[in-house]
Amino acid sequence: MAHELPPLPYAYTALEPHMDEQTVRIHHDKHHATYVNNLNAALEPYPDLQRKSLDELLKGIAAVPEAARNAVRNNGGQHYNHSMYWEVMAPNGGGAATGPIAAAIAAAFGGFDTFKEQFSKAALTQFGSGWGWLVKSDGKLAIEATSNAGCPLMEGKTPLLVIDVWEHAYYLKYQNRRADFIAAWWNLVNWEAVNKRFA
Ligand code: MN
């Protein structure tokens, strides 16, 4: 069973004005699709790996034969990260965290505003291409950044929230202003989806 590009869970225009239609269209239909195609190509010689779910593949990345490991890490990581990115955004999202994750964030970071500030800083200061994350690691919440296709699943952590800070995620609308993109992105966070992952 080949890996498949998940359909965008909303219209291409749904995240306007914070995320423009053209960015969403190219990001999902071109960038994300290419990672899925390249992952399938990398798995082509390995029927046993083709039977694994994406989560299994990434958690067991060390067991992937060396000849395919980088391609699986990069394209599988990007497939996972992008699928999650679309999932944790929603039109009419944003605002302070809600539900059980709100209490956990308050306990771990001392309040939502402090969390937001620290998460934004991690995303902003990630040098070059990468991702900003809220994860659960050893039962505790933590903020992280990964470069390129880095995915916390590969390190045994549970990803709860993610922002894409590759330039392709924001350059058409925000050009070099990554901080403006991050500030706008907070208006899209789907706390219901984050709570589902946290549960
Ligand atoms: Mn991306």
Side-chain angles (χ1 to χ4, degrees):
M1 183 68 188
H3 294 274
E4 285 178 5
L5 179 67
L8 198 66
Y10 28 73
Y12 293 106
T13 54
L15 306 181
E16 297 266 13
H18 310 293
M19 196 175 289
D20 58 294
E21 176 185 357
Q22 193 186 16
T23 293
V24 173
R25 197 175 279 281
I26 296 174
H27 200 170
H28 178 270
D29 293 6
K30 304 294 182 189
H31 289 278
H32 189 172
T34 300
Y35 296 125
V36 176
N37 293 339
N38 289 346
L39 173 63
N40 286 326
L43 296 175
E44 181 81 42
Y46 306 98
D48 51 325
L49 294 184
Q50 287 174 347
R51 282 191 285 272
K52 292 190 175 190
S53 70
L54 184 59
D55 282 41
E56 288 171 328
L57 263 182
L58 297 180
K59 286 176 184 167
I61 190 70
V64 172
E66 203 177 342
R69 198 179 305 147
N70 271 339
V72 171
R73 181 188 285 119
N74 289 333
N75 294 292
Q78 286 295 76
H79 177 26
Y80 181 95
N81 295 355
H82 282 93
S83 299
M84 177 173 167
Y85 181 60
W86 306 124
E87 171 199 320
V88 298
M89 294 189 290
N92 308 311
T98 57
I101 194 68
I105 284 173
F109 302 101
F112 182 74
D113 290 345
T114 309
F115 160 71
K116 185 175 171 181
E117 192 179 305
Q118 289 178 13
F119 184 102
S120 297
K121 189 181 174 192
L124 180 64
T125 57
Q126 163 57 35
F127 186 78
S129 297
W131 302 83
W133 300 91
L134 173 66
V135 301
K136 194 163 73 176
S137 173
D138 292 327
K140 293 165 84 175
L141 295 190
I143 291 165
E144 296 191 352
T146 59
S147 64
N148 299 319
C151 175
L153 259 195
M154 298 187 226
E155 297 156 25
K157 300 167 185 171
T158 306
L160 302 174
L161 176 64
V162 68
I163 182 172
D164 188 343
V165 292
W166 284 58
E167 283 187 345
H168 68 225
Y170 59 87
Y171 211 84
L172 293 176
K173 184 176 173 76
Y174 297 93
Q175 293 83 49
N176 60 311
R177 303 186 311 278
R178 186 189 285 190
D180 291 354
F181 162 65
I182 294 168
W185 172 84
W186 284 106
N187 294 300
L188 300 172
V189 175
N190 179 353
W191 290 111
E192 198 182 316
V194 177
N195 271 302
K196 246 180 225 166
R197 290 182 154 267
F198 183 59

